[in-house]
Amino acid sequence: MPLILDGRSVAATLREELRAGVREFQQQYSSPPRLDVVQVHGDAASDWYVRAISRACQHVGITFQLAQLPADIEQDALIAQIQQLNARPETHGIIVQVPLPQHLDGAAVIDALDPRKDVDGLHPVNLGRLAQGLPALVPNTPAGGMELLRHYNISLAGKHAVVVGRSNIVGKPMALLLLQEHATVTVAHSRTPNLAAIVGSADVVAVAVGRAGIVTGAMLKPGAVVVDFGINEMGAGQVVGDVDYGSAAEVAGAITPVPGGTGPVTNMMLLRNVLHAARAQQL
Ligand code: NDP
């Protein structure tokens, strides 16, 4: 049986640490850290996520504020709203819910964020700082994957880590974080031939593709550590990862389940970014 990297239990520990950190911040600065979420038009998935963030903030004492904007809002008006939040000292963290409607330029909207308040870690300044090994607000999902590995004392120095997927929000920052921990990193993507051979040479495999079963047990080196970021809705309320859990668990040395692996830790990383951002803005 592999070691199960239990995201729910790690998230519970992190929640307590964050609650204490938020209390300390409030005592020192008289008001709690505050997160503002900007949501253009609601869809069911986005509404669900916003509610989950609101609850998570409430649990640790972070103030949560939601601005819901109409679906036909113009680019300039949305950017003006973000600039207002950038300028407001009580707001420490800002999230713009994606995807945005077609007529809006997502990259320009992210660019408009004050990088010091960009708690999703999407601004080019934050990804650039991460690439240079400087302190940065790191995207929550890969930060959560690293936190799981740290929690279970999985050593990375000198290990071959393969990241499957190269998005700016998961794969690319995960590769940079693994590199920072001195792993030898290979990044695979849709143009990578012979994924099986590359995955088979990995001591650590992190998968962020969005395709159920793209990595199977037959591809893994025995004892490999598997971090699965995938979230694939299979209907009837069933959610699976990108890794075929059944076959992978027979070969892996450690593995994240889906659900209950990287997901619960991701939200805690968001709250931690808000607290870090709030502290940094007091200096
Ligand atoms: P994207 O669609 O932005 O990126 C997917 C990546 O997978 C791309 O780099 C793509 O390559 C690569 N890819 C596609 N097909 C293949 C293939 N056949 N072989 C190898 N690589 C392939 O997705 P995200 O990074 O945003 O999300 C990935 C997954 O993680 C999704 O399931 C998503 O739901 C989940 N996710 C989970 C979160 C969590 O909290 N756990 C948070 C965010 C996302 P190319 O660049 O060449 O197109």
Side-chain angles (χ1 to χ4, degrees):
M1 271 294 282
L3 172 67
I4 308 296
L5 306 176
D6 179 356
R8 292 200 177 106
S9 110
V10 173
T13 307
L14 290 168
R15 191 177 296 112
E16 289 316 307
E17 285 171 19
L18 282 161
R19 196 177 284 157
V22 167
R23 204 180 308 123
E24 195 181 295
F25 181 92
Q26 173 146 17
Q27 278 161 4
Q28 197 168 354
Y29 301 108
S30 311
S31 60
R34 169 170 155 170
L35 171 67
D36 280 64
V37 175
V38 177
Q39 186 186 31
V40 180
H41 169 65
D43 65 15
S46 168
D47 286 349
W48 180 89
Y49 181 64
V50 169
R51 272 199 302 277
I53 300 174
S54 160
R55 265 197 312 273
C57 284
Q58 205 180 347
H59 282 148
V60 300
I62 289 175
T63 302
F64 171 90
Q65 186 66 46
L66 174 64
Q68 278 177 314
L69 306 175
D72 60 355
I73 189 167
E74 304 226 340
Q75 176 91 2
D76 290 352
L78 175 56
I79 297 224
Q81 175 91 18
I82 290 169
Q83 283 164 345
Q84 266 180 27
L85 295 174
N86 285 344
R88 182 187 290 156
E90 307 84 59
T91 293
H92 303 109
I94 307 169
I95 292 180
V96 182
Q97 268 296 98
V98 288
L100 291 167
Q102 286 282 318
H103 70 281
L104 296 169
D105 175 354
V109 170
I110 298 298
D111 256 2
L113 287 169
D114 179 342
R116 294 170 313 152
K117 298 190 177 186
D118 164 37
V119 287
D120 266 344
L122 297 179
H123 194 283
V125 164
N126 279 315
L127 198 54
R129 289 180 66 89
L130 175 62
Q132 292 194 349
L134 298 170
L137 289 168
V138 174
N140 307 304
T141 301
M146 295 303 288
E147 191 62 37
L148 269 170
L149 295 174
R150 209 171 0 258
H151 183 90
Y152 286 97
N153 290 319
I154 290 169
S155 70
L156 295 167
K159 299 288 169 62
H160 183 205
V162 170
V163 180
V164 190
R166 58 173 166 178
S167 69
N168 288 335
I169 188 163
V170 195
K172 222 176 271 172
M174 186 64 186
L176 292 168
L177 288 165
L178 288 162
L179 196 58
Q180 218 165 62
E181 294 302 320
H182 314 292
T184 303
V185 181
T186 302
V187 182
H189 47 78
S190 67
R191 312 286 179 92
T192 302
N194 208 354
L195 182 65
I198 291 171
V199 168
S201 70
D203 304 304
V204 178
V205 185
V207 193
V209 172
R211 193 178 296 184
I214 190 155
V215 169
T216 63
M219 295 161 82
L220 295 172
K221 176 154 106 177
V225 174
V226 179
V227 178
D228 189 353
F229 291 116
I231 302 173
N232 303 292
E233 316 236 355
M234 307 305 278
Q238 200 202 357
V239 173
V240 300
D242 286 348
V243 177
D244 175 46
Y245 187 84
S247 63
E250 286 175 18
V251 186
I255 187 165
T256 56
V258 177
T262 56
V265 189
T266 297
N267 282 346
M268 294 304 119
M269 295 297 98
L270 168 65
L271 304 182
R272 189 162 80 180
N273 270 352
V274 176
L275 180 57
H276 284 177
R279 283 196 188 123
Q281 284 160 48
Q282 310 306 318
L283 300 176

